[in-house]
């Protein structure tokens, strides 16, 4: 996908009125700086014997924990089923042929182990039986988030504060405080744009961070533009917020209201689900006015927090002042 960068200054809530700004596209070089995520198990509270057994359950090839079927060679060296095919059925320790020998004793020992979640250093306090631990870690609320930057395959992972710093310092995204925004996305020769991503904008609102995306892509045979919001946090927390997007001109307008998606869902997954404001290209050029040779699409929006009304049992919006 072509990656476009944008320059913008978004309005915040303290200014007494929104100011419209132009966001023009230009080429952006992908940034390869990465954070390192913490790895490994938190062994606090585990007996030395359990730690020793856990080391025995570590595959010597990929160093991941082994789960049934655990294979062994005739000399007793073990490895996981995934790596058995990678080493072409040869023991990586003694080079003997592996065959189809299962290490049933080690599999039984693993059943008796209880180990903490590997995200203990990030705050998870849970301890699980060995065979339940992997399932939990795949869904653990404390697991690191993937960088939400769109347009490049950024491999950085981390918690929300570290990702916010990464987006600001490494991807140079626009950072704004406030729950309302007023952007005008500008692109010359828009009919030549089939797939493009404008620079991400990050908003600090209600003490949380939200990512505003805008991009062009093909929806079937029709070229479209799409704007949508993602929440920098888990899905359950994202449901506490709502947002609206509006685009229009010449006495017409389109309005979208919805719940921001968590950044646990990739930007491509959100885009492909069409969960946002979608504007057909001809309509976008109509909204741009003039000779339709340049995209000048003004998108305004706001974010609010849903508050539970304890007496009525319904949610009421808490708008930014």
């Amino acid at each position: 996908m072509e990656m476009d960068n944008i320059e913008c200054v978004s309005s915040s809530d303290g200014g007494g009125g929104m100011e419209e700004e132009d966001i023009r596209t230009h080429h952006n070089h992908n940034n390869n700086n990465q954070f390192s995520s913490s790895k490994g198990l938190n062994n606090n509270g585990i007996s030395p014997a359990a730690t020793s057994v856990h080391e025995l359950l570590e595959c010597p090839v990929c160093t991941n924990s082994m789960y049934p079927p655990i294979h062994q060679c005739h000399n007793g060296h073990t490895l996981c089923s995934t790596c058995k095919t990678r080493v072409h059925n040869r023991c990586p320790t003694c080079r003997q042929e592996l065959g189809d020998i299962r290490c049933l004793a080690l599999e039984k020992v693993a059943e008796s182990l209880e180990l903490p979640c590997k995200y203990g250093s990030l705050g998870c306090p849970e301890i699980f039986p060995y065979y339940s631990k992997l399932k939990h870690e795949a869904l653990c609320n404390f697991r690191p988030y993937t960088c939400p930057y769109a347009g490049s395959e950024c491999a950085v992972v981390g918690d929300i504060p570290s990702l916010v710093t990464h987006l600001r310092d490494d991807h140079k995204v626009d950072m704004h405080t406030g729950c309302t925004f007023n952007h005008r996305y500008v692109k010359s020769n828009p009919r030549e744009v089939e797939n493009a991503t404008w620079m991400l904008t990050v908003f600090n609102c209600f003490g949380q961070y939200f990512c505003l995306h805008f991009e062009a892509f093909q929806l079937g045979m029709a070229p479209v533009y799409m704007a949508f919001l993602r929440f920098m946090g888990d899905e359950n927390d994202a449901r506490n917020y709502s947002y609206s997007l509006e685009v229009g001109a010449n006495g017409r307008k389109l309005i979208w209201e919805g719940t921001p998606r968590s950044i646990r869902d990739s930007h491509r997954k959100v885009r492909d689900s069409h969960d946002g404001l979608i504007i057909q290209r001809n309509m976008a050029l109509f909204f741009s006015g003039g000779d339709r040779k340049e995209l000048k699409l003004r998108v305004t929006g706001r974010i609010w927090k849903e508050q539970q009304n304890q007496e009525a049992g319904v949610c009421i919006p808490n708008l930014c002042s």
Side-chain angles (χ1 to χ4, degrees), residues 107-128:
E107 291 179 9
K108 277 289 187 182
V109 169
E111 289 181 2
S112 65
L113 281 182
E114 287 192 348
L115 296 171
C117 173
K118 71 177 180 179
Y119 302 123
S121 62
L122 298 178
C124 183
E126 302 294 340
I127 295 177
F128 292 91

Side-chain angles (χ1 to χ4, degrees), residues 8 10 148 163-164 167-168 173-178 183 199-205 208-212 232:
C8 76
S10 178
L163 287 182
V164 170
L167 288 168
R168 182 193 65 214
V173 305
D174 292 298
M175 311 288 295
H176 300 289
T177 299
H183 286 352
M199 176 60 78
L200 184 71
T201 306
V202 176
F203 294 93
N204 183 354
C205 176
Q208 306 289 340
Y209 290 92
F210 300 82
C211 300
L212 177 63
M232 295 189 69

Side-chain angles (χ1 to χ4, degrees), residues 153-321:
E153 297 299 326
C154 182
V156 170
V157 296
D159 59 16
I160 298 303
S162 65
L163 287 182
V164 170
T165 301
H166 163 66
L167 288 168
R168 182 193 65 214
D169 296 345
D170 298 328
H171 290 301
K172 310 299 182 185
V173 305
D174 292 298
M175 311 288 295
H176 300 289
T177 299
C179 301
T180 60
F181 45 89
N182 186 349
H183 286 352
R184 191 165 65 160
Y185 294 92
V186 180
K187 184 73 173 72
S188 59
N189 300 320
R191 294 191 179 277
E192 298 177 2
V193 178
E194 300 299 336
N195 293 282
T197 299
W198 277 255
M199 176 60 78
L200 184 71
T201 306
V202 176
F203 294 93
N204 183 354
C205 176
F206 294 110
Q208 306 289 340
Y209 290 92
F210 300 82
C211 300
L212 177 63
H213 297 262
F214 186 78
E215 54 188 88
F217 63 99
Q218 290 285 131
L219 182 56
M221 298 297 293
V224 298
Y225 296 94
M226 181 174 176
F228 57 91
L229 199 72
R230 285 198 293 164
F231 174 74
M232 295 189 69
D234 281 319
E235 180 181 356
N236 289 338
D237 294 327
R239 295 194 186 106
N240 295 325
Y241 302 91
S242 297
Y243 75 102
S244 66
L245 296 171
E246 181 177 318
V247 60
N250 302 320
R252 280 90 169 169
K253 64 182 177 181
L254 296 175
I255 299 175
W256 163 269
E257 287 192 4
T259 301
R261 296 279 286 273
S262 165
I263 60 171
R264 295 286 190 202
D265 291 334
S266 69
H267 103 280
R268 183 179 292 275
K269 180 178 180 179
V270 179
R271 187 199 73 181
D272 291 348
S273 67
H274 310 152
D275 193 1
L277 175 65
I278 296 179
I279 312 136
Q280 299 286 339
R281 184 164 65 185
N282 286 340
M283 181 65 73
L285 293 177
F286 173 76
F287 286 151
S288 298
D291 56 8
R292 297 192 174 195
K293 293 183 178 180
E294 183 176 39
L295 178 73
K296 293 181 179 179
L297 198 61
R298 185 167 65 89
V299 177
T300 62
R302 63 186 177 92
I303 305 165
W304 64 91
K305 186 174 183 179
E306 302 288 355
Q307 287 187 325
Q308 186 74 29
N309 185 328
Q310 298 297 332
E311 295 181 0
V314 297
C315 288
I316 57 176
N318 177 15
L319 303 178
C320 277
S321 57

